[in-house]
């Protein structure tokens, strides 16, 4: 099993794959209401078969180099994850996202995990622009973008229809040269190591 440590609290970042559908579904069940406030993932994983299909869609994206998904484990339990919803390697752009069950909130896990996948996207995959789209009501996710040093670019008014309600979506981003400046204090080994299970 490939894994990458996220710190001294034992948290790990690992690939999230179709064979883990039952564990993934159990995790979604624990946090369904919390996760589903802003993220459609809760509605996509309605049972084990649907959870497996969702993870398979990301396995297909990984094979096509158009997306990736990773789980965050804390003390051996899957508690959340980070992903590249889309990746356009030719254009050098991608969109990152996250989710977390409530028991793991407030520990900085998503921020740490997102740093890892952005490092990989910039240094290994040559991404120039990493984007973060978030509902204006999702203050926790906005705080992650701020902690990552992203730039707030604007608001897409009424652009996201979710559960019958239109949401204004904030657009944040960081460009590769900016990310390298932000990460300069980190060791070069930490910067260039890929997320677990990734290939250069």
């Amino acid at each position: 099993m490939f894994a990458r440590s996220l710190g001294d609290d034992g948290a790990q970042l690992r690939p999230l794959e179709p064979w883990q559908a039952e564990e993934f579904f159990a995790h979604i069940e624990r946090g369904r209401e919390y996760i589903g406030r802003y993220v459609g993932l809760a509605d996509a994983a309605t049972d084990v078969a649907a959870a497996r299909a969702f993870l398979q869609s990301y396995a297909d994206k990984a094979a096509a180099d158009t997306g990736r998904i990773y789980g965050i484990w804390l003390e051996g339990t899957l508690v959340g994850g980070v992903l590249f919803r889309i990746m356009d390697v030719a254009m050098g752009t991608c969109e990152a996202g996250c989710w977390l069950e409530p028991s793991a909130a407030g520990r900085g896990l998503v921020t740490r995990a997102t740093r890892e996948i952005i490092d990989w996207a910039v240094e290994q995959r040559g991404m120039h622009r990493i984007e973060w789209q978030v509902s204006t009501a999702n203050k926790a996710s906005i705080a992650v973008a701020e902690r990552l040093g992203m730039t707030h670019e604007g608001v897409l008014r009424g652009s996201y229809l979710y559960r019958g309600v239109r949401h204004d979506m904030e657009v944040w981003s960081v460009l590769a040269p900016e990310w390298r400046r932000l990460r300069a204090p980190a060791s070069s080994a930490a910067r260039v190591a890929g997320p677990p299970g990734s290939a250069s």
Side-chain angles (χ1 to χ4, degrees), residues 1-82:
M1 169 61 70
F2 295 99
R4 186 159 180 83
S5 172
L6 292 177
D8 296 336
D9 56 2
Q12 292 184 327
L13 185 68
R14 307 179 200 163
L16 192 50
E17 300 177 343
W19 63 270
Q20 295 163 304
E22 291 187 6
E23 183 179 14
F24 178 60
F25 177 68
H27 150 61
I28 295 298
E29 283 285 89
R30 289 192 302 272
R32 185 172 298 280
E33 183 177 343
Y34 182 82
I35 294 167
R37 295 176 304 162
Y38 306 111
V39 180
L41 174 59
D43 294 342
T46 53
D47 54 29
V48 173
R52 184 175 292 109
F54 178 82
L55 295 180
Q56 184 62 53
S57 74
Y58 271 87
D60 295 343
K61 285 185 178 185
D65 208 16
T66 58
R68 297 288 193 283
I69 191 168
Y70 301 94
I72 300 170
W73 276 261
L74 185 63
E75 298 176 353
T77 300
L78 178 63
V79 296
V82 290

Side-chain angles (χ1 to χ4, degrees), residues 10 13 17 37 48 80 94-95 101 108 119-121 142 148-149 161 174 176 192:
L13 185 68
E17 300 177 343
R37 295 176 304 162
V48 173
C94 55
E95 180 189 334
E101 66 180 68
D119 280 348
W120 172 79
I142 291 169
L148 291 170
L161 181 62
V174 64
V192 300

